[in-house]
Every structure is written in structure tokens, then in C-alpha cells.
Amino acid sequence: MANDVNQTVSRPGINSPGTGSPVLDMASSRMVLRRKIRHFYDQTANVAIAVGGVSVILAILLIFLYLFYEVIPLFQSATLDKVNEYQIENVSDSESLHIAIEEQSEIGMRIGDDAQVHFFNVTDGSIVSTIDIELPAGAAISNFALDTEESGVFALGLDNGEVLVASYGYETSFGGENNTRTLTPIIEYPFGDQPLSLFTDSPLSNVAVRSSGDVLMVVGIDENDAVNLIRASKQTSLFAAFDIGGEDVDIELEAFQLDLRVQDVEQLFIGGDQRWLYFISSNGLIRTIDLVAAMNGQSNAFGIETFLTEGGVRPTQVVFLLGGISLLVADDSGDISQWFLSREEGRTQLQKVREFSPGVLPILRMTPEQRRKNFVSVDSSGNLAIYNTTAHRAVFSQDLTAATPKRIALSPRGDGLLLETDDGSIAFWEVHNEHPEVSWSVLWDKVWYEGYSEPDYIWQSSASSNEFEPKYSLVPLSFGTLKAAFYAMLLAAPLAICGAIYTGYFMAPTMRRKVKPLIELMEALPTVVLGFLAGLWLAPFVEKNLLGIFAILVVLPLSILAASFAWTQLPRRIRDLVPDGWEAGILIPVILIFSYLSFVLSVPLENIFFGGDMRFWITNDLGVSYDQRNAMVVGFAMGFAVIPTIFSIAEDAIFTVPKQLTYGSLALGATPWQSLQRVVLPTASPGIFSALMIGMGRAVGETMIVLMATGNTPIMDINIFEGMRTLAANIAVEIPESEVDSTHYRILFLAALVLFMFTFMFNTVAEIIRQRLRTKYSTI
């Protein structure tokens, strides 16, 4: 028997492949092939998933690196490269009154006290042109005053009490075989070539000039401390457009003798708006008068009297910053301060806004830039510094010369600098200063801008005037982004989560298969359509039916609770007519009826309590401003767009909780609500939290709804009836009109980087909390 058993067990073709049975060998070969194919698919899927995941991470990293690459130049310092140093040929021993550079940094200009204007090549100092200014016979220059570098208008005060007003400029022509550009220096007399008589045979001790369009003001002080003013106006005839020679332009002169005596005046200035006259004494005392009132004979009294310096420190030079609003005051202690007029408590005051401290040596010269709020200073040791007043920072500081500086000039574009020293030499430097307007304080702190009564957060990137001070605070945009997301989530989160709980846990499967796809279909609606409807239909509707909207927010929850309570009080036989899980359908007519009643009853209530116009009552009685396109409209529209995202993810998380957990809880005696609260929701909490964070990220990055449904004004106001501007909307609005590689352009990339960091931060926090929730409730 044993031998028979052994022979049976070891019989070939029964238990092992390749033993001679064709059927078993074929089946075994197929199984091996299937395992190999399955293993190949598994490996391929693993590689594809890994490559996809790494590609996503690399794409995000590349986006971050590109944004960072565009932003990093904003914080680079300025550099200066010396081109050449020379002495201008054929220049007498005259004292220079002013030097300047033309637009293309090709030609320099020097005005001497001998009334000669030399135009020279800034690269090598060779003379391009020399123009003599014709002075009255026997008269000599006693004072020089510059209007602005932009206008090129200057005034020569003469020792006979007269003032000659002229301007320097350049005519551009093209000619030759290669259509070569040629610059021709010119000296013009925009208000006539005849001197203006301020005093009769009384030398001028100080003079100031200011032009604005067709109006020129010249103020002078003579040796007796008297103050006189001349206003020149161009009177253009109706046929001036056809007058090539300009003969139809008449100059109307008005002379004013101000009943005023001002002693110890070292510098005299007229404000950019031609209203305020500034007298600056050697001890730093500044006094102002209102020119409008003075010319009308109303008052010659000083409106403001204050000291620009303290402790015996004396000002060395005072200049106007671009725009003629701010005064830059340099002193012999090495400090520079910025002052401008502002209104406070109904009074006009001269405020000290900020200080710059380049060193301890006296500041000898300053000059403002012509297109930005920059200025250059140089002290007695030859240390030159470049500042931006808005950013309140020095972008460059370095010793450039061992000689004593005498005059400095910046080109209109800020890319060239001339430095004249006391030995008569002039050095030309190329300036690379692309983005001086940016600093941490400009982006994230309150800044005191010109004309404002106090520091504030402001975004205003452009204006119609070249003298505009850009305001690049990202705080209002970040605030607006969070405000829009907050009100959207305030509406979307409760509705989406509660809807997901009911749909995933209580609703009948048949009804769920209809409701869930319908809600998810809402996500396919383009946001531009939602924004269009919100801006053109919803915003006016909400404004007109404001009380009805508020009534719905109160009436609907109460009506739903009342209807639910009434349903529970009905006889059992009636309630059994509705299948389990279909009870929600009964609420549809309840919602429609009570929504309609809310709007119908709001009309008489609005007439009784709010005088027929709740919006007018909110604005005038409560003092709360109301903008038609506001945060509430954004909350409704963007909440509608976010609800499907939150609902879909949260509902899947709740529905996929293992049913055995619910059945076990019910079997132990828990009610459905207790099972939901203590079993289902904790288990689904990671998915629910992820849904909220994804919805929050969607709200933060939303563009078109916010752009079209708000006033798009970058203000900081938590008021639900006020609008806002978000980072995404700001990028969409302003990136098409920004100059490539400009400061504005790069700050928009910075805004994109901030938005990227917002979403990255939300997603990171969400993932950390989700993992902790998963770990905490994984043992349920």
C-alpha cells in the first residue's frame, strides 16, 4: 500500500507544471504571463504617478522661481559708472550758476554769471554750442533762480532791479542718408525777450520764478527788503493755431507791490501751485504768505512761521522736490529733511514728514530728479547719495571725488549725472537706478504721501500727471483679497457643509443621484458670467430690495425650522407617505413661498421704518457709506461659485465613511444624529477641512467675479456695503497697461507672488491639519 501511495503522489502531470499535461502547462503559462503583465502595469503606473507628481512640484517651483526672478530687481541698489572727467574748453573764469543734462544724456549745459550758456558733449566735454544771453546795457547778473528742471525756465536777477526770464531746450531734427538725429541747443524767451522790472534802480538780493502753463510768476526782494511780484500771462488769440510765427500771442503783465518787509532772506521760493511764497532765513526760519490773498489785497501777513532746523543748525540748501509740493532742507549737520503743507483741523501747516541722515558733514548741494521722487545730495567730502523720498531709503552712497563739489545735475531719465567741482572739472557718470520707489515700508507700512494729512495705506499706481507720486502699498489689496474671501466663505461654508452632510448621510440614494450632479454642474458655470450677472443684475437688485435680502436671511432659516417642526407633528400615516430621505423635497415650496413673502412684506416695512429707502437711511442716519457694487454682492456671487467645490469634496468625504461604523453605532443604541456627530463627522473631518481650504483658496484667487461685482477700489474698510480690490483683480486690470520691466510691472509680479504665497500657505496649513485629523480619528 505504501508503495502504491508513493507512486500515486509522484505521478507525473498532476501537481507540477511541465510534467507532461498540456492543459495544466498552458494554464500555468497564462497565469505567469498575466502576472508579468500585471506587474508591468503596476510598475508603469507607479512611474507615471511619480513622474506626474514630481512634474507638478517642479511646475510650481518654476512658477515661484520665475515670480521671484521678476521681483528681485526691485530691491537692488543703484550703481554709478564713471565715464569721463574733463574741463570745458573755451570757458572763461565765470562762476557757474546752473548745469543740466538733456533727455538722451548726450549734451550738457552750463550757465555762467557772464550770461554765456555753453552746451557741451557730456562724454568728452567738447563744446557743441555757445549762446550769449543779451542783458541790458550796464546790467550784471546778481541772482539766479530756476523754475524746474522739467520746464527749463530760469530767471536772471539783475543789479538794476530787473529780471530776465529765459528757458533752455533742444530742437530735434532728422536728416542725412541714415536719417541721423541731430540735437540743436536753443535759448528761448517764453514770456518775451525784454526784462521784467521788479524795482527801479534797486539791486535784487533774491529772486524766485514759477511757471505753470501760460502763467508766470516772478518775485523779487531788493536791498531794502521790499517784496514785489509780477504775473505774466499769455493771451492767445482765436487764430493762434494758424499763426506760425506766434505773432498772435500777447503777454499781459500785472505788477504787485506787497506791503511787506522781510529781512535776512537767503532763499526765496514759489510753490508749484503758484499760491504760496516761501521766505527762508539763514537760521532756518521759514515764513510763508498766501499769494492769492496778497494779490487780492486781503492779507500780507505770514500764514506759517516755523523753524526748519533746531539747535543752531543752519540750512545749507533748500530745493523743491518734483512737483513743487515738498521742500528738501539740507543743513550743515549732514541731515536732510522733507517738508510739505498739509491740512490738519482746518488749518494749513508745514509738516516735517521724514529725515535722511547721509553723514555728519555739511550737505553742499542737492538736486531733484525730474520724473521720480528721487534726489541727489553731495557733502563737503565728496560723498554722493541718491534717495527716494517715498521709499525713505538711500539707494546709493559713495565717495566720488576728493575735490569740493560745486554743482550737480541729473538727466531727465535719471540715467546720467554731472558733478562739477571747485577746480573747474566736470565728471560724467552713468547711473543705473531702476526701481528706487520700492522698500518694505512702501509695500507694507503706512506712508505719508504728499498732500495727505497723515500716513496711510494707499494703492494708486498711475495718474495723468508726470509729477505724480506712485503709491504701491499692497496692504489694501491683501485686505481686499481676504475681505472678499471672508464674505464668500461666510455664505458658502455653512450652506455647502450642511448640504453635504444631509446629502451624504440622510438623503435617499435615488434623490442623491439627482441632487449631487446638479450641484456639481453649478461649478461649470464660467465665473465671467457670474461676474457679469452680479455686476449688472444682482448689484442693482440688492440695492433696490435691501430689506428683502436681509429679511430672507432671517425668515428662511426660521421658516425651514418651523416647517420641519410642523412636519414632525403630523400624524404618522401622513409622514409615511413620503419615503425616507425624500423629506427635503417638501422644503422647496416652503423656500419659494417665504422668499416671495420676504420681498412682498419688505416694501411696507421699509416705508414704515426706513422712510421708503433703506439704503438712504443707512447712509444718512447711520453714517455708513453704501456702494452699489460691494462686499455683500461679492459674497453672494462668489459664494455661489465656491459652494459646488466645497459641497462636492465634503459630500464625498461623508458618503465614503464606512457604513459598518454607522451601523455599529446605531446597533449600540445611538441615534442617527449621535452617530453623525460622534462617528461620521470625526471620520470625515479631514475631507471636510480640505474642502473648506480648497474653497478658501478658490475664493482668494478669484478674479472675474471680484473685478466685475465690486467698485474695484483699493480701500481698507470692513464695511459690507463698501467695495474692495483684490490682488488677482488688480493684476488683471493693470498688467495690460504696465510698461514691461518697469517698477509698476514688477510690483504686479510681486502681488502675484504674494497671492501665490497666500494659496500656498492655506494649502500647507490645510494639509498639516488634515493629516493630524486623519491620525486622530483613524482609530474610530
Side-chain angles (χ1 to χ4, degrees):
M1 285 294 294
N3 293 333
D4 293 339
V5 171
N6 291 335
Q7 291 176 0
T8 302
V9 172
S10 61
R11 186 179 300 169
I14 300 298
N15 294 324
S16 59
T19 56
S21 173
V23 176
L24 292 179
D25 288 344
M26 183 177 298
S28 178
S29 299
R30 289 177 178 176
M31 292 179 62
V32 172
L33 180 60
R34 288 177 181 176
R35 290 193 189 100
K36 291 182 179 180
I37 294 175
R38 189 182 301 116
H39 179 72
F40 173 77
Y41 286 160
D42 289 343
Q43 293 297 321
T44 303
N46 290 335
V47 172
I49 293 172
V51 170
V54 172
S55 300
V56 171
I57 295 174
L58 287 177
I60 295 175
L61 183 61
L62 288 175
I63 292 173
F64 175 80
L65 291 177
Y66 178 71
L67 294 176
F68 189 75
Y69 169 78
E70 292 289 350
V71 167
I72 197 63
L74 288 173
F75 304 97
Q76 293 177 349
S77 299
T79 59
L80 267 68
D81 297 324
K82 189 173 183 179
V83 177
N84 198 4
E85 185 172 358
Y86 45 80
Q87 290 194 348
I88 301 177
E89 301 174 357
N90 302 323
V91 174
S92 62
D93 295 333
S94 63
E95 184 75 16
S96 65
L97 301 176
H98 181 65
I99 60 174
I101 312 175
E102 61 82 32
E103 176 85 13
Q104 306 297 330
S105 297
E106 296 178 4
I107 299 177
M109 187 274 305
R110 177 186 183 274
I111 303 176
D113 61 0
D114 57 356
Q116 280 192 336
V117 183
H118 297 280
F119 296 90
F120 56 93
N121 190 304
V122 295
T123 304
D124 55 17
S126 59
I127 294 296
V128 175
S129 176
T130 299
I131 301 176
D132 292 327
I133 299 176
E134 295 185 6
L135 301 180
I141 299 175
S142 59
N143 298 102
F144 175 85
L146 180 69
D147 173 22
T148 62
E149 294 280 2
E150 302 95 307
S151 68
V153 175
F154 61 91
L156 300 178
L158 307 179
D159 56 5
N160 62 358
E162 295 180 334
V163 175
L164 182 62
V165 178
S167 67
Y168 55 87
Y170 306 87
E171 290 183 347
T172 304
S173 61
F174 296 87
E177 296 181 357
N178 298 324
N179 202 26
T180 306
R181 179 175 57 86
T182 303
L183 295 176
T184 304
I186 57 173
I187 294 293
E188 296 181 313
Y189 302 91
F191 292 88
D193 57 359
Q194 297 300 315
L196 306 176
S197 181
L198 282 172
F199 298 94
T200 303
D201 296 329
S202 179
L204 288 171
S205 61
N206 263 296
V207 66
V209 62
R210 178 67 68 173
S211 66
S212 177
D214 293 338
V215 179
L216 174 80
M217 281 190 178
V218 180
V219 177
I221 303 177
D222 69 355
E223 59 183 4
N224 298 319
D225 301 327
V227 182
N228 285 351
L229 181 148
I230 291 179
R231 181 170 61 186
S233 304
K234 291 182 180 180
Q235 304 297 323
T236 306
S237 75
L238 296 175
F239 303 99
F242 305 98
D243 179 31
I244 300 177
E247 296 178 358
D248 286 335
V249 178
D250 296 326
I251 306 298
E252 180 181 332
L253 299 178
E254 297 177 272
F256 301 89
Q257 292 184 356
L258 305 185
D259 186 15
L260 198 66
R261 289 290 187 273
V262 187
Q263 298 179 349
D264 186 29
V265 177
E266 283 204 346
Q267 296 186 72
L268 184 66
F269 295 101
I270 303 173
D273 56 359
Q274 295 186 341
R275 177 174 180 179
W276 297 97
L277 181 61
Y278 300 82
F279 303 92
I280 302 174
S281 302
S282 59
N283 61 354
L285 176 65
I286 184 170
R287 292 163 283 184
T288 69
I289 64 170
D290 189 337
L291 286 176
V292 176
M295 288 187 294
N296 293 331
Q298 298 175 357
S299 174
N300 283 334
F302 293 119
I304 298 172
E305 291 187 79
T306 188
F307 281 93
L308 300 174
T309 57
E310 298 177 352
V313 177
R314 294 180 174 272
T316 55
Q317 189 183 13
V318 179
V319 297
F320 265 112
L321 195 62
L322 171 68
I325 298 175
S326 294
L327 284 170
L328 296 174
V329 182
D331 57 46
D332 56 11
S333 69
D335 291 334
I336 302 172
S337 55
Q338 180 185 1
W339 300 70
F340 58 70
L341 297 172
S342 65
R343 296 284 293 179
E344 185 174 346
E345 298 179 355
R347 296 175 53 197
T348 301
Q349 296 182 344
L350 189 63
Q351 298 278 1
K352 184 179 181 179
V353 180
R354 53 183 67 93
E355 284 186 315
F356 307 89
S357 299
V360 296
L361 297 177
I363 305 297
L364 297 185
R365 291 294 172 186
M366 290 189 302
T367 186
E369 192 173 318
Q370 300 180 34
R371 296 181 181 174
R372 295 178 294 186
K373 299 295 182 176
N374 297 341
F375 70 93
V376 179
S377 70
V378 60
D379 62 19
S380 58
S381 69
N383 181 272
L384 186 138
I386 303 177
Y387 295 92
N388 183 272
T389 55
T390 307
H392 196 191
R393 72 178 183 119
V395 296
F396 178 84
S397 180
Q398 184 178 322
D399 291 333
L400 293 187
T401 179
T404 303
K406 194 174 181 181
R407 302 282 176 188
I408 52 176
L410 268 176
S411 66
R413 298 181 180 181
D415 56 358
L417 182 143
L418 286 178
L419 177 61
E420 183 181 9
T421 55
D422 59 354
D423 58 4
S425 63
I426 294 180
F428 177 65
W429 301 74
E430 288 184 349
V431 181
H432 306 279
N433 186 20
E434 300 297 329
H435 311 290
E437 307 96 335
V438 181
S439 66
W440 178 265
S441 61
V442 164
L443 298 173
W444 301 109
D445 291 341
K446 288 185 176 181
V447 178
W448 201 339
Y449 298 101
E450 290 180 340
Y452 287 74
S453 59
E454 60 183 2
D456 203 354
Y457 301 108
I458 300 175
W459 172 274
Q460 187 182 1
S461 59
S462 60
S464 59
S465 173
N466 291 331
E467 301 168 353
F468 168 71
E469 183 177 19
K471 304 167 183 65
Y472 291 129
S473 177
L474 294 180
V475 175
L477 306 180
S478 302
F479 178 86
T481 301
L482 297 178
K483 178 182 177 181
F486 170 77
Y487 284 117
M489 294 298 292
L490 191 64
L491 174 73
L495 292 179
I497 297 300
C498 293
I501 291 173
Y502 186 85
T503 305
Y505 186 73
F506 294 104
M507 188 174 287
T510 305
M511 189 176 186
R512 176 181 177 272
R513 286 193 294 269
K514 294 179 175 61
V515 171
K516 189 170 186 286
L518 184 64
I519 296 178
E520 290 176 341
L521 188 63
M522 292 165 50
E523 197 167 9
L525 188 64
T527 56
V528 67
V529 175
L530 290 176
F532 178 81
L533 294 175
L536 297 184
W537 172 77
L538 182 60
F541 178 81
V542 170
E543 182 183 21
K544 185 178 179 181
N545 302 277
L546 193 58
L547 184 58
I549 297 295
F550 287 141
I552 284 180
L553 298 178
V554 177
V555 171
L556 275 186
L558 295 178
S559 62
I560 291 174
L561 291 176
S564 301
F565 177 77
W567 172 258
T568 61
Q569 301 304 310
L570 292 175
R572 181 93 182 172
R573 58 185 180 80
I574 297 178
R575 286 184 290 155
D576 289 342
L577 296 176
V578 179
D580 290 339
W582 286 83
E583 296 88 348
I586 302 175
L587 293 177
I588 296 177
V590 174
I591 294 173
L592 294 177
I593 292 172
F594 279 93
S595 297
Y596 175 75
L597 290 177
S598 297
F599 286 108
V600 171
L601 296 178
S602 66
V603 176
L605 292 177
E606 192 171 17
N607 292 329
I608 295 173
F609 296 103
F610 304 107
D613 191 341
M614 186 177 183
R615 184 219 165 161
F616 182 83
W617 179 83
I618 289 175
T619 303
N620 291 272
D621 290 23
L622 297 183
V624 178
S625 58
Y626 185 99
D627 188 6
Q628 185 186 77
R629 299 183 181 185
N630 51 48
M632 183 167 63
V633 176
V634 171
F636 289 143
M638 197 154 66
F640 183 83
V642 172
I643 282 176
T645 301
I646 301 176
F647 170 84
S648 180
I649 300 174
E651 199 275 342
D652 286 339
I654 294 170
F655 186 76
T656 55
V657 173
K659 298 300 181 183
Q660 58 267 29
L661 296 179
T662 304
Y663 297 152
S665 175
L666 295 173
L668 292 174
T671 64
W673 276 105
Q674 289 173 331
S675 300
L676 173 68
Q677 178 184 0
R678 299 182 182 181
V679 177
V680 177
L681 289 182
T683 306
S685 59
I688 295 174
F689 188 79
S690 296
L692 289 174
M693 288 297 101
I694 292 174
M696 183 71 174
R698 166 78 187 278
V700 167
E702 179 55 49
T703 303
M704 296 310 300
I705 294 177
V706 183
L707 183 62
M708 303 174 71
T710 71
N712 205 28
T713 51
I715 58 176
M716 294 184 61
D717 194 341
I718 197 66
N719 180 9
I720 194 173
F721 301 121
E722 281 285 0
M724 80 289 288
R725 179 183 290 192
T726 65
L727 289 165
N730 187 68
I731 295 170
V733 168
E734 299 195 5
I735 198 67
E737 60 188 34
S738 62
E739 180 185 355
V740 176
D741 293 338
S742 65
T743 300
H744 181 208
Y745 177 84
R746 295 192 185 278
I747 286 183
L748 292 178
F749 272 90
L750 178 61
L753 182 61
V754 172
L755 186 60
F756 180 87
M757 295 304 295
F758 271 176
T759 56
F760 180 79
M761 179 183 65
F762 287 141
N763 291 335
T764 301
V765 172
E767 183 63 21
I768 293 174
I769 297 178
R770 189 181 70 85
Q771 291 294 343
R772 291 186 177 181
L773 290 174
R774 174 178 291 181
T775 302
K776 181 178 180 180
Y777 295 111
S778 61
T779 56
I780 293 180

